[in-house]
Amino acid sequence: MREQSFNLLSYLNSFLESHSPVLDAQKLEVLLSTIEKEVHSMHDFLAALVNTQLWKSWQIQANPYPSRILDIGLEIDRIASERIAPAYHSKKHMMDVCLMLSYILMQEEGAQKNVSKNSPWMTSSTEKWQLLLAAAAHDLGHPGLINNTPFEIEQQSLDLLGALFMSIGADPVLAKEILECVEPWILATDHAQYSTLLERMSQSDLKHVDCLAMLLVEADLASSVLPVRGRLLTDRLSDEWAKPYPEKSIALRNQVGYLSFLASLQFVSPHSDQAGISSILHNSLSQLRTQLS
């Protein structure tokens, strides 16, 4: 009997339609590794994701975002076909981020129970689509290096996104609107600025733009807290840094260095709290500390 081909849309729907809000770390490990094994095109991944029941439930009238998101997927695939992808900052990572953003946004209805009605954490359907576009584009053309100046690589990704919109003849008004909207969120994914963003999150007068930036940053980091995949991803980042930054590469591969990285993370959004990501992080830290003791 012929083995059935992998149905990505059904697979994503089964995850994003789950009635259990709290992430099961082991199931998530299997989900992400299966997608990595079965899906090799960013365009195909995004085409399935935007057609899940979850994203269809957030549709807006005359929605311009799905087609622009798919354009980004095609550009990611094109770049990957022309040069060796970084060990960590590849389309595999971008798929992780888009999927984790989807799951984090999925928690908003439950998260609303624990925040005020006018909380700056709450997002409109349009903002959800803009965040997904930002997640797809945030590492566009990443060179596998560390910033020499603040936001250097993130700005390069924004510049590539703008150039892509021009090359495909996207509506210039819409393109300008998108770039202005996603710029502060994508810039916030510069990890050197993470502690500064966390500090702003501790202030009483939270700004909506910072909350949306943090949702993207948390999606960027979420897979790294998983006990197995987190270690795998850290090893990939160590491989990526092996030639340009050998000392940093060695430090990251060391368990103490990995522990230090995990211990620096916080998931502060009501969405991530609802999803139980902090609990996964706590468990991963406990396991690692036990191994080191």
Side-chain angles (χ1 to χ4, degrees):
M1 180 180 295
R2 183 178 177 182
E3 189 175 332
Q4 285 188 329
S5 61
F6 179 72
N7 189 317
L8 176 59
L9 178 58
S10 295
Y11 199 65
L12 292 176
N13 271 326
S14 67
F15 173 62
L16 296 173
E17 290 179 345
S18 171
H19 294 291
S20 174
V22 179
L23 281 172
D24 181 300
Q26 289 184 327
K27 288 182 179 178
L28 185 56
E29 300 262 20
V30 172
L31 177 92
L32 295 175
S33 62
T34 300
I35 290 175
E36 181 173 310
K37 177 184 175 182
E38 298 288 347
V39 185
H40 306 291
S41 163
M42 190 68 184
H43 172 271
D44 291 352
F45 172 81
L46 290 171
L49 185 62
V50 300
N51 280 292
T52 57
Q53 291 304 310
L54 179 68
W55 280 100
K56 284 184 175 180
S57 74
W58 294 327
Q59 279 293 355
I60 56 178
Q61 188 173 6
N63 189 351
Y65 295 101
S67 58
R68 297 291 77 85
I69 290 168
L70 296 188
D71 289 331
I72 293 168
L74 286 173
E75 181 66 2
I76 290 170
D77 288 335
R78 185 193 67 78
I79 292 172
S81 72
E82 293 183 351
R83 66 189 193 205
I84 298 174
Y88 175 82
H89 288 99
S90 67
K91 66 178 72 175
K92 297 174 184 178
H93 167 66
M94 298 179 210
M95 290 180 196
D96 277 10
V97 177
C98 290
L99 185 57
M100 294 314 303
L101 175 75
S102 302
Y103 195 84
I104 287 170
L105 292 176
M106 181 181 167
Q107 307 308 315
E108 187 158 307
E109 184 176 349
Q112 284 178 318
K113 301 172 185 176
N114 301 316
V115 297
S116 66
K117 183 178 180 182
N118 298 320
S119 169
W121 285 106
M122 298 301 104
T123 64
S124 67
S125 292
T126 296
E127 287 170 333
K128 289 180 174 70
W129 282 100
Q130 291 167 338
L131 278 166
L132 181 59
L133 187 147
H138 81 286
D139 280 334
L140 186 61
H142 199 290
L145 300 173
I146 297 172
N147 283 338
N148 289 315
T149 58
F151 313 116
E152 177 186 13
I153 294 172
E154 292 73 25
Q155 186 59 57
Q156 289 174 8
S157 294
L158 284 163
D159 292 343
L160 286 173
L161 181 61
L164 171 64
F165 286 160
M166 286 187 63
S167 70
I168 62 176
D171 174 64
V173 175
L174 175 64
K176 183 174 184 292
E177 178 185 314
I178 290 174
L179 288 167
E180 289 178 350
C181 180
V182 304
E183 179 179 9
W185 309 340
I186 290 178
L187 292 181
T189 62
D190 177 356
H191 195 66
Q193 309 302 316
Y194 179 60
S195 60
T196 302
L197 180 59
L198 276 177
E199 186 176 341
R200 292 205 297 273
M201 292 293 98
S202 67
Q203 306 300 315
S204 57
D205 57 337
L206 279 176
K207 293 182 173 58
H208 186 52
V209 63
D210 287 337
C211 291
L212 297 189
M214 182 55 82
L215 290 174
L216 178 59
V217 169
E218 290 187 343
D220 195 22
L221 295 170
S223 296
S224 295
V225 310
L226 293 168
V228 177
R229 189 166 183 82
R231 182 73 261 186
L232 170 66
L233 295 177
T234 304
D235 287 347
R236 286 178 181 171
L237 186 56
S238 177
D239 290 341
E240 184 171 296
W241 289 353
K243 288 186 178 180
Y245 318 106
E247 292 184 1
K248 290 181 182 293
S249 174
I250 293 169
L252 195 60
R253 195 172 290 273
N254 182 286
Q255 280 194 314
V256 175
Y258 178 50
L259 175 63
S260 177
F261 165 69
L262 282 186
S264 72
L265 302 183
Q266 296 180 49
F267 289 83
V268 299
S269 74
H271 305 64
S272 291
D273 181 63
Q274 180 76 12
I277 297 177
S278 292
S279 295
I280 294 176
L281 173 59
H282 175 76
N283 291 338
S284 294
L285 281 167
S286 297
Q287 291 178 28
L288 191 55
R289 286 173 175 141
T290 299
Q291 293 168 10
L292 290 170
S293 63

